[in-house]
Amino acid sequence: MRLKGIFLLLSLGAFTSYYVYQPIPDEIEERWKLMLTDCFFRSLSHLADFSELLGLKDYMGVMMFITFAERVVPVSDQRVHVTEELFDEVQVVVYQPKLQGGDTELRRAVIYLHGGGWCLGSARMGPYDLLARQMVMDLNSVVVSVEYRLAPEHHFPVPYEDVYRAVKHFLQRVVLAQYSVDPGRIAVSGDSAGGNLAAAVSQQLQQDPEQQLQLKVQALLYPVLQALDLNTPSYQQNQNMPILPRTLMVRFWSEYFTSDKTFFRAMMTNTHNSPESAALLKFVNWSVFLPESYRGKYNYSTPVVALSAGGAGSDGPSRSIADPRASPLLVPDAVLRSLPKAYVLTCEYDVLRDDGVMYAARLRRAGVEVTHEHYAGGFHGALMFTMWPTDFLIGRTMTENLIRWLQHNL
């Protein structure tokens, strides 16, 4: 019996080690902490798959546990005044410095858009609340954190339209005056899917003939920027990397557009392009826009155009992937030329690395001033890992560098 107990204990330990351990590049710091963090994410993902298979709850419904677990109630403190408001019927959380006696100076403003693959996340999550407070204190700025509606309950373009309406509402002189904001010092920023929305909003505002006030800068943090080619070198190199493996990113894209699982399967095999979207592949040709150092051992091949695979014909999802409001990397150079100064953060160990690298390259080619900050030991989502027990040094470094850039450029 004693030997049997020892054997079971050793077996359990071996199984646990096998499940927790995942090869992680040496360049990434705090590797074991990342392994343990990713073990939780993978376990939740497996549970979500199983729940969906049994018909109990859909995948994203289970994954929303992450959002609920980190949700906080934004409240004012000694230095920051917090209010929850509606901007053109869109929920926002507004963070402002508490007024000092005789303080009449106009302030900067940062409009922040949270990540989560358009399906998860919230402006009311702890890491976003912490980031907003740091921006308020370090920049003496107003921060507007937008609580846009999420897929799959609200497919594209609803999340984008929520953000656009909220931003346009804020960019009115009468509204800016209420918050003592300088109309010439307003930024938009976002991480991951929030970076996608920030880039799209920046582009569309420039093309809106009714828009009088414009953004001064855009800060895009490991943004997702195109859905046409899901086999870029970074998608291949990092397909099993922690936090955001390729399968999860493809699922986010699919759920953003449709609940049709055949479209997800087509996206997984990179055969989801229609003739309409294929005509725009020239804007995401990584053999042209990706510097040699990022291409590695991978050779470019044009994604297959499948007229009927996974709904890739003339239906909604096919049109959506070609829409620049969903894929900002698809706009021509003429649109890029008028965009505000940009900060683009990318991580080496992130499937979205090449989206950001190509966008930075195209912006520069179009004459836009760009600061591209690449983290050789970075991984997706690192900026949000700043609170115990998942506080990573790289997350704090990213936050400090972002705020420093905003101090000098906003």
Side-chain angles (χ1 to χ4, degrees):
M1 286 294 292
R2 184 178 179 184
L3 287 175
K4 185 181 292 186
I6 293 173
F7 175 76
L8 288 174
L9 186 62
L10 289 173
S11 298
L12 179 62
F15 175 78
T16 302
S17 298
Y18 175 79
Y19 187 77
V20 171
Y21 180 79
Q22 184 174 355
I24 291 179
D26 292 339
E27 292 81 0
I28 295 179
E29 298 179 351
E30 302 178 283
R31 293 165 63 221
W32 276 102
K33 185 186 287 188
L34 181 57
M35 282 184 205
L36 292 170
T37 301
D38 186 58
C39 180
F40 166 76
F41 280 92
R42 282 188 288 121
S43 299
L44 187 62
S45 180
H46 293 328
L47 178 63
D49 279 326
F50 189 58
S51 173
E52 187 168 82
L53 182 66
L54 295 179
L56 300 176
K57 196 172 186 63
D58 65 271
Y59 180 90
M60 292 301 172
V62 176
M63 293 298 288
M64 274 296 288
F65 173 80
I66 299 168
T67 302
F68 296 141
E70 295 202 69
R71 190 180 289 270
V72 297
V73 178
V75 294
S76 300
D77 58 32
Q78 290 182 337
R79 300 179 64 183
V80 181
H81 179 61
V82 184
T83 56
E84 298 184 57
E85 303 181 29
L86 289 177
F87 282 6
D88 195 10
E89 303 303 315
V90 177
Q91 294 182 42
V92 298
V93 183
V94 181
Y95 298 80
Q96 303 174 70
K98 284 203 169 175
L99 292 175
Q100 305 296 323
D103 185 1
T104 59
E105 179 185 3
L106 293 181
R107 299 185 174 87
R108 305 174 172 105
V110 179
I111 303 166
Y112 197 86
L113 312 174
H114 70 79
W118 309 281
C119 301
L120 309 175
S122 168
R124 298 180 176 92
M125 289 175 69
Y128 292 116
D129 179 71
L130 177 62
L131 177 61
R133 293 174 192 275
Q134 285 183 265
M135 287 181 173
V136 169
M137 293 184 290
D138 294 347
L139 298 172
N140 188 33
S141 66
V142 173
V143 176
V144 176
S145 195
V146 183
E147 187 77 324
Y148 55 88
R149 288 173 291 176
L150 301 175
E153 184 178 357
H154 303 284
H155 293 301
F156 174 81
V158 173
Y160 164 80
E161 289 176 340
D162 279 0
V163 168
Y164 194 66
R165 283 165 46 212
V167 171
K168 283 201 58 143
H169 176 86
F170 187 61
L171 291 179
Q172 299 178 82
R173 292 188 185 277
V174 64
V175 176
L176 297 178
Q178 294 174 14
Y179 300 100
S180 299
V181 169
D182 184 340
R185 304 179 75 188
I186 303 171
V188 67
S189 182
D191 62 296
S192 193
N196 166 283
L197 295 167
V201 164
S202 297
Q203 292 177 2
Q204 299 303 315
L205 282 173
Q206 291 286 346
Q207 300 176 75
D208 188 339
E210 298 179 356
Q211 185 60 39
Q212 296 180 352
L213 297 179
Q214 292 290 342
L215 301 165
K216 184 175 183 181
V217 300
Q218 53 181 324
L220 314 177
L221 317 173
Y222 35 79
V224 49
L225 297 167
Q226 58 87 27
L228 270 60
D229 187 355
L230 304 180
N231 271 338
T232 62
S234 60
Y235 267 104
Q236 296 181 64
Q237 170 189 300
N238 301 309
Q239 61 180 318
N240 296 312
M241 206 50 65
I243 310 304
L244 187 68
R246 180 178 183 273
T247 301
L248 181 56
M249 187 61 241
V250 173
R251 188 187 285 266
F252 280 142
W253 266 125
S254 176
E255 296 275 6
Y256 189 31
F257 296 135
T258 179
S259 297
D260 183 356
K261 300 303 181 187
T262 59
F263 194 65
F264 166 67
R265 291 190 287 271
M267 295 188 91
M268 280 297 296
T269 56
N270 216 33
T271 57
H272 57 289
N273 280 284
S274 67
E276 180 185 4
S277 62
L280 300 172
L281 283 168
K282 61 185 178 182
F283 295 122
V284 297
N285 185 334
W286 55 263
S287 69
V288 174
F289 298 114
L290 202 61
E292 188 73 36
S293 59
Y294 294 100
R295 298 180 202 172
K297 63 183 180 181
Y298 304 101
N299 297 314
Y300 180 77
S301 60
T302 305
V304 174
V305 178
L307 292 175
S308 59
S314 60
D315 60 354
S318 260
R319 290 194 302 272
S320 294
I321 65 171
D323 191 323
R325 297 174 302 168
S327 296
L329 195 51
L330 302 185
V331 298
D333 288 351
V335 174
L336 296 178
R337 289 190 191 104
S338 62
L339 292 179
K341 183 186 300 187
Y343 175 88
V344 181
L345 183 160
T346 58
C347 296
E348 179 63 25
Y349 301 106
D350 179 5
V351 293
L352 302 179
R353 179 198 69 190
D354 295 345
D355 284 20
V357 173
M358 286 193 287
Y359 198 52
R362 288 198 59 209
L363 285 170
R364 279 204 189 99
R365 184 177 294 194
V368 177
E369 186 177 342
V370 179
T371 298
H372 175 205
E373 189 140 29
H374 181 70
Y375 289 84
F379 55 91
H380 191 82
L383 188 77
M384 290 299 100
F385 291 121
T386 54
M387 299 181 68
W388 188 89
T390 57
D391 51 327
F392 285 79
L393 177 61
I394 192 171
R396 294 195 293 274
T397 301
M398 287 179 175
T399 300
E400 291 167 2
N401 290 341
L402 167 64
I403 291 176
R404 186 179 301 113
W405 185 86
L406 289 171
Q407 284 173 333
H408 293 145
N409 294 277
L410 179 59

